[in-house]
Amino acid sequence: MKLSIVLSTQPAKFQAATFKGDLDANLARIASLGYDGVELAIRDPGLIDLDELDRFVHKYNLIVPAIGTGQAWGEESLSFTDPKPTIRSAAIERIKSHVPVAARFRAVIIIGLVRGIVKPGVDHTQAMNWLIEALRECSDAARPHGIRLALEPINRYETTLVNTAAQGLDLIERVGADNFGLLLDTFHMNIEEPSIEESIKQTGERIFHFHVADSNRWYPGSGHLDFKSILGALFATGYAGFVSGEFMPMPDAATGAQKAIEHLRAKT
Ligand code: LER
Ligand code: MN
């Protein structure tokens, strides 16, 4: 099993980014704990020095399996489904600007909350249509670079646009792009899916990336999720990607990251 953990390259409000702050020190810590990779949360690729980031990541022999983009929503309110066309196109351009970063690391681009929420005065069908158009445009921009996009079903308390794996699979049909799939996250699945294992099985080869947190969004092993069964179902699909820790830095980032790796390694 290849394990990674989320690291934010910029200060951010999102609470479940396990590591934030000093890039070099955090990468050193993540590598020394035994992680194989680091999932980078990047608000705006225009604000980062890609060569420098690449050097740091390679210094610690880490792989970057995925790039998180949700801070564009969390910090700037950009989304694919905002009623204002200028905001929708800014969100699309922002996601396209991640393609060179993703290409450098051969990483998946995550579409999390940048999909948006259904804003007052917008109906759900309209929001879904904007979402589909945006995903087609971004998938088309990523395809020539060999880059894949993964939309994450997110629990109902954060958005009403695509909460379950089944809704994600329906969206895949409607978008119709071969480089578009899903990111499944055990925290959201525990809230939304009748059976986490069955939804993993149904999603099958459309699982492009995988987030782990326990039921309380602390490190795996701190709550009531059965990671032996969940990871068994994941690998039974033929999934060969990373299992990426995205959980609260509790009791602190390093302790959570250490306990997660111990628990997950013991379950496979
Ligand atoms: C991001 O990967 C995530 O899981 C969401 O909860 C973001 O709000
Ligand atoms: Mn997630």
Side-chain angles (χ1 to χ4, degrees):
M1 177 177 48
K2 295 179 289 187
L3 282 177
S4 57
I5 192 158
V6 174
L7 169 65
S8 183
T9 58
Q10 283 142 335
K13 285 180 254 170
F14 180 50
Q15 292 182 331
T18 312
F19 286 94
K20 301 181 208 179
D22 185 337
L23 190 63
D24 192 32
N26 281 329
L27 289 170
R29 175 58 69 88
I30 289 166
S32 75
L33 287 169
Y35 283 86
D36 312 288
V38 60
E39 176 182 319
L40 298 173
I42 299 176
R43 177 166 72 77
D44 182 352
L47 302 177
I48 59 163
D49 179 337
L50 184 53
D51 291 328
E52 188 189 37
L53 186 60
D54 199 1
R55 268 197 304 279
F56 273 129
V57 167
H58 279 102
K59 180 173 165 190
Y60 298 105
N61 285 319
L62 290 164
I63 289 170
V64 179
I67 309 282
T69 62
Q71 291 172 6
W73 161 262
E75 311 287 323
E76 297 174 70
S77 303
L78 297 185
S79 97
F80 288 163
T81 55
D82 194 281
K84 289 201 189 76
T86 48
I87 295 185
R88 294 199 301 277
S89 50
I92 292 171
E93 290 314 311
R94 177 64 60 82
I95 293 304
K96 287 183 180 171
S97 79
H98 281 275
V99 172
V101 187
R104 174 73 69 104
F105 297 113
R106 305 165 70 86
V108 170
I109 297 175
I110 297 171
I111 308 295
L113 278 176
V114 74
R115 65 154 109 7
I117 58 174
V118 183
K119 287 260 176 91
V122 175
D123 72 44
H124 196 272
T125 305
Q126 173 67 79
M128 285 303 287
N129 289 339
W130 283 331
L131 175 58
I132 289 162
E133 274 173 42
L135 289 168
R136 281 192 189 135
E137 191 172 335
C138 294
S139 300
D140 285 348
R143 189 180 299 101
H145 304 271
I147 296 304
R148 302 189 302 167
L149 270 62
L151 181 125
E152 179 174 31
I154 288 179
N155 79 74
R156 68 189 70 183
Y157 305 107
E158 295 188 57
T159 183
T160 52
L161 285 166
V162 193
N163 305 124
T164 66
Q167 290 165 350
L169 288 169
D170 184 52
L171 182 65
I172 286 173
E173 288 293 313
R174 296 180 67 192
V175 171
D178 55 0
N179 60 333
F180 176 60
L182 300 185
L183 152 58
L184 298 183
D185 179 325
T186 57
F187 173 72
H188 302 304
M189 295 186 94
N190 181 53
I191 297 171
E192 297 294 345
E193 308 292 340
S195 160
I196 294 178
E197 291 83 349
E198 185 56 28
S199 297
I200 287 172
K201 188 175 163 195
Q202 293 301 323
T203 309
E205 62 184 19
R206 284 297 183 150
I207 304 175
F208 284 5
H209 192 54
F210 200 79
H211 278 166
V212 283
D214 218 316
S215 47
N216 48 7
R217 221 175 198 180
W218 282 38
Y219 56 86
S222 64
H224 62 245
L225 294 188
D226 180 349
F227 281 96
K228 190 171 176 54
S229 170
I230 291 169
L231 294 176
L234 178 65
F235 295 125
T237 66
Y239 181 74
F242 271 73
V243 170
S244 202
E246 182 192 56
F247 43 81
M248 316 271 279
M250 300 297 275
D252 59 80
T255 307
Q258 168 76 42
K259 286 186 176 291
I261 203 164
E262 281 167 14
H263 190 73
L264 294 171
R265 293 257 184 249
K267 298 292 170 190
T268 48

